[in-house]
Amino acid sequence: MLIDIITIFPEVCKPYLDSSILGIAQEKGKLEIRLHNLRDYTLDKHRKVDDRPFGGGPGMILTAEPVFRAVEAIKRTADSGQRTTKVILLTPQGKTLNQKLAEKLSKRKHLILICGRYEGVDERVRESLVDEEISIGDYILSGGELAALVLTDSLARLLPGVLGHKDSNVRESFSNNLLEYPQYTRPADFRGLGVPQVLLSGDHKKIEEWRKHQAVKITKKKRPDLLRGP
Ligand SMILES: C[S@@+](CC[C@H](N)C(=O)[O-])C[C@H]1O[C@@H](n2cnc3c(N)ncnc32)[C@H](O)[C@@H]1O
């Protein structure tokens, strides 16, 4: 999978993208992530990417020109004839990201993520360039970078061969509309706090039953909406 991220703060994204699972996914060749500085696609010598909103109002708006030029250039270099590219705008107006949406997007070969800044992006980007709008929740961030990182991270975990154990995804919260069962690790006695005996029993069938029961119990208590399904 190839993910291109367009941002005015590539240096903010890079350390996270190079660390942990995302770094491993790239090393293993399962994921390629390319960061693009929006300013590299401006036409003026000041590399200006924003302007005042028509009609007045607070703040600045990212102009359409560099965003269009960036997406067009990326599509050319990404050999898009061979791939179906989806252009995603990170925006509070988008569909809220959840595991189902992440699963769907993880099947794509190429995504271009546009990170907004300031008061947002010229509406013509949304109208003529963007295939899908995604939000990471009902709150306002200062820019789309964190949202792009959240989305990229959620996708990387789902790519075959990225996580160590092949079952890791299947057992995680939200797969099968359940939250995860409780997990414990050594020591078995921590400051007098124990571990459910069944987990120490070595009886894999019983452990499996206990985990399933716990997952249902926890989901009923914390997120009963998940049990009702989509
Ligand atoms: C300060 S926000 C702009 C908010 C905009 N004025 C509004 O009221 O919808 C700047 C940028 O951060 C990103 N952003 C903010 N909150 C987000 C969220 N919940 N999900 C995804 N992106 C978000 C978007 O790219 C947005 O263009």
Side-chain angles (χ1 to χ4, degrees):
M1 178 181 219
L2 170 62
I3 301 182
D4 285 288
I5 302 177
I6 302 170
T7 164
I8 58 168
F9 291 117
E11 73 282 5
V12 168
C13 303
K14 193 163 176 10
Y16 189 82
L17 294 170
D18 286 347
S19 310
S20 186
I21 300 288
L22 284 169
I24 292 166
Q26 291 176 86
E27 274 164 28
K28 284 184 173 174
K30 308 286 177 194
L31 176 63
E32 187 185 353
I33 303 171
R34 303 189 304 188
L35 283 164
H36 305 268
N37 191 334
L38 185 63
R39 293 188 195 282
D40 292 343
Y41 298 91
T42 51
L43 293 169
D44 69 304
K45 70 173 180 204
H46 300 294
R47 292 159 54 89
K48 190 168 151 56
V49 290
D50 60 331
D51 214 329
R52 291 189 306 275
F54 281 129
M60 302 294 269
I61 308 294
L62 284 182
T63 55
E65 179 81 53
V67 184
F68 270 74
R69 293 187 75 235
V71 169
E72 285 157 4
I74 290 166
K75 281 188 172 178
R76 281 195 299 274
T77 62
D79 192 15
S80 284
Q82 309 288 316
R83 307 174 190 250
T84 39
T85 299
K86 196 182 246 297
V87 180
I88 293 176
L89 175 65
L90 284 315
T91 161
Q93 295 186 16
K95 201 170 175 185
T96 309
L97 180 65
N98 61 20
Q99 194 66 11
K100 289 252 157 3
L101 182 53
E103 276 162 20
K104 204 173 111 202
L105 290 171
S106 71
K107 311 254 171 4
R108 308 290 303 205
K109 291 268 177 287
H110 183 208
L111 300 178
I112 300 179
L113 310 184
I114 303 171
C115 303
R117 270 276 155 182
Y118 313 123
E119 285 308 312
V121 185
D122 188 302
E123 190 65 16
R124 288 163 290 191
V125 168
R126 190 177 260 126
E127 288 167 355
S128 305
L129 200 61
V130 165
D131 300 311
E132 190 155 352
E133 298 174 45
I134 292 182
S135 161
I136 59 162
D138 290 346
Y139 42 81
I140 303 295
L141 300 162
S142 307
E145 288 74 17
L146 285 173
L149 295 180
V150 167
L151 175 59
T152 303
D153 192 318
S154 72
L155 301 182
R157 302 176 62 77
L158 293 167
L159 300 177
V162 168
L163 293 187
H165 194 288
K166 71 174 172 34
D167 276 354
S168 294
N169 277 320
V170 182
R171 288 164 172 268
E172 265 176 336
S173 292
F174 305 118
S175 54
N176 309 318
N177 292 326
L178 289 174
L179 298 179
E180 197 184 48
Y181 48 78
Q183 301 262 41
Y184 300 83
T185 185
R186 269 179 275 270
D189 184 330
F190 172 69
R191 298 185 180 180
L193 302 170
V195 168
Q197 202 52 41
V198 62
L199 297 179
L200 309 173
S201 69
D203 185 334
H204 294 294
K205 192 162 171 274
K206 277 211 175 109
I207 291 171
E208 209 45 53
E209 282 166 11
W210 180 86
R211 285 178 165 167
K212 199 157 174 222
H213 176 73
Q214 291 295 321
V216 173
K217 194 170 132 191
I218 287 170
T219 311
K220 260 187 196 156
K221 189 173 164 209
K222 295 183 178 169
R223 291 290 306 274
D225 58 301
L226 292 177
L227 293 169
R228 291 192 287 275

